[in-house]
Amino acid sequence: MRLWWSRLAGVGAGQMLMVAVGWQIYDLNGSAWDLGLVGLLQFLPALLLALPAGQLIDRWHRGRILAACMAVLGAAAVLLAVASHGGWVTRDGLLALSVLLGAVRAFQLPATQALTPLLVPSALLSRALAFSSGGLQGAVIAGPALGGLVYGAGPAVVYALCAMLFALATGLTLAIRYGHAPPPHEPVSAATLLAGVRFVVAHKVVLGAISLDLFAVLLGGATALLPMFAKDVLQVGPTGLGLLRAAPAVGALAMSLWLARRPIVRRAGAQLLGAVALYGAAQLAFGLSPWFWLSMAALAVSGAADMVSVIVRQTLVQLETPDAMRGRVSAVNALFIGASNQLGEFRAGATAALIGAVGSVIVGGLGTLAVAALWRRWFPALAARDALDAGRR
C-alpha cells in the first residue's frame, strides 16, 4: 500500500504540474507550437536514457530509484514556485524544465512497473493493476481539477502544492520494503543494454500490444491542445482546462473499478483492439464538439477505452517477462509510452499550428481508427489472444 499511496501523491502532483506548465507557457505567447514542443523536449531525454535506465533498474534497488525520481521532481516544483513568485518564468525556462521532466520519467515509469510484480502475486497482478489504476485515476481527476482551481491564486501556489506532494511521495517510497537480491555481476555491454529490445521483438504479442498503444496515442492524443480548446474553442478558462484534463480520468476510474471486480479473462486481444477503436472514435467526437459538456463526455469515454488498453498491455508485459529482465523490458515499454505521449503532444501541436486545434484532433482520431484496423491484420496472434495469463492461452 505504500507504493499505492506514493503513486497517488506523485501522480496527483505531476498532473497539477503539467496543467500549470501548459497554461503558463500558452499564456506567455499563445503558441500551439510551444505546446507541442513541451512534449518533444520531454521525449528526447527519455529516448536517450531508456536503455541505460533499464539496465540500472535491473541492478539496483527499484524503490530507491523511484524515490530519487520523486525527490528531483519535488526540487523542480520548488524552483518553479520561486520563479513564478519572483516573476522571472520564461518560455525558455519552461522548455528547459521539460527536458528535466523527460529525463526523470526515463527512470520513474520503468522502475514503478518493474517494482509492482515484486509486491503482488502473479495470479492477482491483473486485479492489482486495475485497483492501482483506479487510485491513480482518482489522482488524475483531482490533480488537474485542483490545479486549475488553485491556479487562480497564481502558478506559484500550484507549484508549491506540487512540491509538498512530491516530498510525501518520496518519503512513502523510501519506506517500501521487498526482498532485493542484487543480480550476479554482468558487465555492461551492447548485448545487455539491448536485451529488453530483443525480448520485445521476439514476443509478437507483447510487441503488438506495446506498438498498438504507441501509434494510437501518438495519433489520437489531444492532451497538449487542451489549453487551446479551453481558451479559444470552448472558452472555459483555466478552471475549465482542469476539468477537461480530469475528464479522461473519470472514465478511466470507472473502467478500472469495473475491471478490478470483473477482470478480463477471455478474448483479451479482441477487447484490446476494440478499445483502441473506441478511443479513436471518442477523440473524433471531442474534436467535432462545440459544447463543453459533450467534450467532457467524449474525453471520459476515451479515458475508459484507454484504461482497457493499459491493463491488458501492462499485464501481458509483466507476466511474460522474467524478473531479471523486467527493468529493461519495462524501459522499452516506457519508451513506447513516452513516445506516444510526448511525441503525440508534439504531433498535435505541430499539426494544430498548420490546420488548427480542431483539425488536428479530427485527423488524429481518424488515424487511430486506421491503426486499430491495421493491427488486427498485422498482429493476428494479438487479435486471437484469449486469456492474459500465458498458461491459460
Side-chain angles (χ1 to χ4, degrees):
M1 288 301 293
R2 291 189 183 98
L3 178 61
W4 188 80
W5 284 110
S6 169
R7 295 190 69 191
L8 206 66
V11 169
Q15 290 295 315
M16 283 192 288
L17 187 70
M18 293 313 300
V19 166
V21 168
W23 187 269
Q24 199 169 26
I25 198 166
Y26 188 62
D27 207 32
L28 286 173
N29 53 19
S31 171
W33 174 261
D34 282 351
L35 287 174
L37 199 57
V38 168
L40 177 64
L41 292 177
Q42 288 185 56
F43 171 70
L44 291 177
L47 173 63
L48 295 174
L49 294 172
L51 297 182
Q55 184 86 9
L56 188 69
I57 291 164
D58 277 337
R59 289 169 176 263
W60 288 10
H61 193 288
R62 295 165 184 173
R64 292 170 188 168
I65 292 173
L66 185 57
C69 292
M70 293 295 102
V72 172
L73 290 174
V78 170
L79 179 61
L80 280 170
V82 173
S84 297
H85 182 72
W88 43 274
V89 170
T90 65
R91 167 188 178 273
D92 291 342
L94 291 173
L95 294 178
L97 175 76
S98 299
V99 176
L100 175 63
L101 293 177
V104 171
R105 286 175 180 172
F107 295 87
Q108 178 187 356
L109 184 55
T112 303
Q113 292 179 348
L115 178 60
T116 302
L118 297 177
L119 307 176
V120 179
S122 60
L124 300 177
L125 184 59
S126 179
R127 288 178 181 268
L129 288 174
F131 173 75
S132 174
S133 296
L136 295 183
Q137 294 308 321
V140 174
I141 294 169
L146 181 60
L149 182 65
V150 175
Y151 196 94
V157 180
V158 181
Y159 295 135
L161 181 57
C162 290
M164 289 187 286
L165 287 173
F166 282 131
L168 175 61
T170 301
L172 288 170
T173 306
L174 287 173
I176 293 173
R177 298 289 183 268
Y178 72 93
H180 171 65
H185 177 71
E186 183 182 22
V188 177
S189 65
T192 59
L193 285 173
L194 295 173
V197 176
R198 290 197 305 272
F199 182 91
V200 171
V201 171
H203 290 72
K204 300 304 181 184
V205 170
V206 175
L207 176 62
I210 293 176
S211 59
L212 175 65
D213 178 79
L214 165 65
F215 285 99
V217 179
L218 176 64
L219 294 172
T223 303
L225 301 181
L226 291 183
M228 294 185 70
F229 275 87
K231 188 172 185 179
D232 302 330
V233 179
L234 301 172
Q235 299 179 355
V236 291
T239 301
L241 171 61
L243 294 174
L244 288 173
R245 291 273 309 206
V250 174
L253 174 60
M255 181 57 69
S256 64
L257 293 176
W258 174 264
L259 292 177
R261 292 180 59 86
R262 298 179 179 271
I264 295 173
V265 294
R266 290 288 183 266
R267 302 182 67 248
Q271 292 192 56
L272 171 61
L273 290 164
V276 170
L278 179 59
Y279 176 82
Q283 291 294 317
L284 191 60
F286 171 73
L288 293 170
S289 168
W291 302 296
F292 180 64
W293 65 267
L294 181 58
S295 299
M296 291 274 290
L299 289 174
V301 171
S302 75
D306 186 54
M307 179 52 58
V308 175
S309 174
V310 168
I311 297 300
V312 172
R313 184 186 70 252
Q314 288 189 5
T315 305
L316 280 173
V317 171
Q318 298 303 334
L319 288 180
E320 302 231 342
T321 306
D323 182 64
M325 288 189 61
R326 279 199 177 113
R328 282 165 286 182
V329 172
S330 294
V332 175
N333 186 32
L335 180 59
F336 275 61
I337 294 172
S340 63
N341 291 332
Q342 276 76 62
L343 282 184
E345 291 180 7
F346 178 70
R347 192 281 313 166
T351 309
L354 294 175
I355 60 175
V358 172
S360 176
V361 173
I362 290 174
V363 168
L366 291 173
T368 302
L369 289 171
V371 165
L374 288 172
W375 257 244
R376 182 179 295 275
R377 180 180 180 86
W378 291 348
F379 292 92
L382 175 63
R385 181 66 177 253
D386 188 23
L388 286 172
D389 190 341
R392 296 170 54 200
R393 283 186 230 178

